[in-house]
Amino acid sequence: RIQTCVQRMIVDYFCKDLEDLRSHGENGENPYTDAQLLISLSLALSPVTAATCNFALDAVVQAKLLGHHCELLAVVEGQVSDEGVRVHESARAHHFLTLHSIRALDAATRTVANLNGGGSSNDRRDNMFKHAELLNRVRDEIIQQLGLHLLPAPGFDSSSLVSCCALLARFTGDADSPIIEQGVTALVKDQSDRGMWTSAGVLTFGRRRLVYIPSVELSLALANLVLLD
């Protein structure tokens, strides 16, 4: 039944017009939704998904998905600036969004590489050079958040801290970095008895359009760091 649902989702939903997919729901188009959609399209095109669900994409369907994938890849890539990803043009960059966009681009480039016959789709040195200024901003944000946590002072944002730690590990490959260790220690201390964190909670844009930052997202990013370690 799950296999049938996945196949129907790919054929009946992801083959809609891209603009309809991007603007689906009350929030309309936003970087977070774009990143999640790019990951979904990457999974839809993945041979692992086809093998697991025991079905092959029709040539017409695959061509449609590839078109969406290529177009959205360019959109998400353009949303990642040297400062990170903003929920709208005049907003301050928030690295919760940056992390999701980088992960989406990682998944998308791997999918493209697999469809082109394999090979390495992610040279860490090239990525470090490309995102060198962003890497500096990420380090600065970690230091700022650690300072706010140490004081303590208003403005501490656990979602930003854990996202920056995950990005630093992603760009450098060094999950044992002392600054990441301090970040994780601060996050452990900040976690409540109910397993939740203090956070920005939501990123607002437009009138009533919101990107929620649930604690489960923070715990997943933290778990990813632990696995890297």
Side-chain angles (χ1 to χ4, degrees), residues 6 10 14 39-47 49-50 55 57 65 111:
V6 171
I10 292 173
F14 290 132
I39 290 175
S40 297
L41 287 170
S42 298
L43 287 172
L45 287 164
S46 170
T49 302
F55 73 88
L57 290 175
L65 295 180
T111 295

Side-chain angles (χ1 to χ4, degrees), residues 4-79:
T4 303
C5 288
V6 171
Q7 188 171 4
R8 285 179 178 173
M9 184 75 174
I10 292 173
V11 175
D12 297 338
Y13 182 73
F14 290 132
C15 285
K16 293 181 178 180
D17 289 341
L18 183 58
E19 291 307 310
D20 291 338
L21 292 173
R22 291 183 65 200
S23 61
H24 178 76
E26 292 183 5
N27 283 351
E29 293 181 13
N30 67 81
Y32 180 71
T33 301
D34 285 342
Q36 296 300 314
L37 180 56
L38 182 57
I39 290 175
S40 297
L41 287 170
S42 298
L43 287 172
L45 287 164
S46 170
V48 175
T49 302
T52 302
C53 295
N54 194 30
F55 73 88
L57 290 175
D58 178 88
V60 175
V61 171
Q62 186 179 46
K64 183 85 170 181
L65 295 180
L66 273 172
H68 288 352
H69 189 268
C70 292
E71 188 175 341
L72 194 56
L73 175 58
V75 169
V76 174
E77 208 163 28
Q79 291 168 346

